[in-house]
Amino acid sequence: MDTTSLAALAPVRTPAPAAAPATATATLTLGTWLSTPLVGPDPGPIVHSSQVGGAVAFQTLVRDGVLRHLLDDVGVRAGADVDPGMRAEAALTRTRLPSATIGGLGAAWIHAGGPVPDELDVLVPPGHGAPAPRPGCSPRYVRLTQDERVVIDGVPVTSVLRTALDVATAPARGSRDGDGDGDGGGGDRARTRDRERATDALDRLVRVCGLDLDHVVHALELKQRWRGRTQAVALVHEARRSGHRAAPAAVA
């Protein structure tokens, strides 16, 4: 008998595939993730924690100087020039209200940079439903005229002049909400802190955006029913003494 023919008819045994190494399905460590090149489109200078593997990876990148923290879980690449559009985008991740207008110290931060405020003023037109409470947001019903509102990279923000009016008025309005009686001087310290923050914000608006403080005083004088007007005018004069009257040119 032809043994070659018998061999050809014998069943062929296919070797079983080798088992995958136990480490192949192991959870990716933070160190491994950070050392893995980014796959996909370049996210640009603005980086969200979700783009880099979560909060822990984001904090590690900030700690190591790869990212610079901007607001909450949003950062920018180290060395990137931060502009108002980037700050507006970061603010929107907190408010999550693209139709509301950001005002007060939050708007001053978007326009001119500086320290991030503890809360962002979220301005909603009267008659609209109250926005859902969100950490770090302070919603208020405010009616704005067309020239008191600008849009920066799709995010509504109060104009530089309107922002200055609100910033200058905020300490006076805050003092009416709580006079600090019985708090061992805590109220006085809070008011001093609020005034310092306001004058610093006004000074940045002057230096970065070309704000003229004379225009702010004139606008307040025209608003006879503006609550806290007298205190706001005094604060603007204080800012003028401690800073600049007007910047020679606007800076982006």
Side-chain angles (χ1 to χ4, degrees):
M1 180 180 292
D2 187 351
T3 56
T4 303
S5 299
L6 290 175
L9 295 174
V12 178
R13 297 180 181 273
T14 303
T23 57
T25 57
T27 302
L28 192 65
T29 65
L30 176 60
T32 303
W33 193 95
L34 292 175
S35 63
T36 302
L38 180 67
V39 177
D42 188 334
I46 288 282
V47 180
H48 300 254
S49 63
S50 59
Q51 295 175 294
V52 295
V56 175
F58 178 82
Q59 292 165 7
T60 300
L61 292 170
V62 171
R63 183 196 65 199
D64 292 346
V66 179
L67 296 178
R68 180 154 54 97
H69 183 244
L70 193 57
L71 177 71
D72 299 339
D73 62 348
V74 180
V76 294
R77 292 183 177 183
D81 293 327
V82 181
D83 59 28
M86 295 179 186
R87 291 188 287 267
E89 179 182 338
L92 186 59
T93 64
R94 176 184 290 188
T95 66
R96 298 186 183 179
L97 291 169
S99 61
T101 303
I102 299 174
L105 288 174
W109 172 70
I110 290 174
H111 284 298
V116 180
D118 297 332
E119 289 191 338
L120 299 179
D121 285 348
V122 180
L123 311 183
V124 181
H128 285 231
R134 290 193 57 78
C137 295
S138 178
R140 292 193 295 124
Y141 288 108
V142 176
R143 192 181 304 279
L144 298 171
T145 62
Q146 185 174 355
D147 61 349
E148 291 178 327
R149 183 176 177 270
V150 297
V151 178
I152 299 177
D153 280 13
V155 182
V157 182
T158 52
S159 67
V160 171
L161 179 58
R162 173 64 197 229
T163 298
L165 298 181
D166 290 333
V167 166
T169 308
R173 292 180 177 177
S175 68
R176 295 186 181 194
D177 295 333
D179 58 11
D181 289 345
D183 62 1
D188 291 337
R189 287 193 296 271
R191 284 191 288 273
T192 299
R193 178 202 61 196
D194 291 345
R195 290 181 64 84
E196 290 175 349
R197 289 179 177 176
T199 54
D200 288 346
L202 290 173
D203 183 64
R204 284 193 304 276
L205 290 172
V206 168
R207 291 184 287 107
V208 177
C209 303
L211 173 70
D212 190 331
L213 294 180
D214 286 339
H215 293 169
V216 180
V217 172
H218 181 63
L220 287 167
E221 289 173 345
L222 294 177
K223 294 180 178 291
Q224 292 296 316
R225 297 185 179 181
W226 183 271
R227 185 162 66 91
R229 181 174 64 91
T230 302
Q231 297 93 323
V233 170
L235 191 142
V236 172
H237 287 309
E238 179 181 334
R240 178 188 286 117
R241 290 192 297 270
S242 61
H244 306 275
R245 180 175 180 179
V251 180

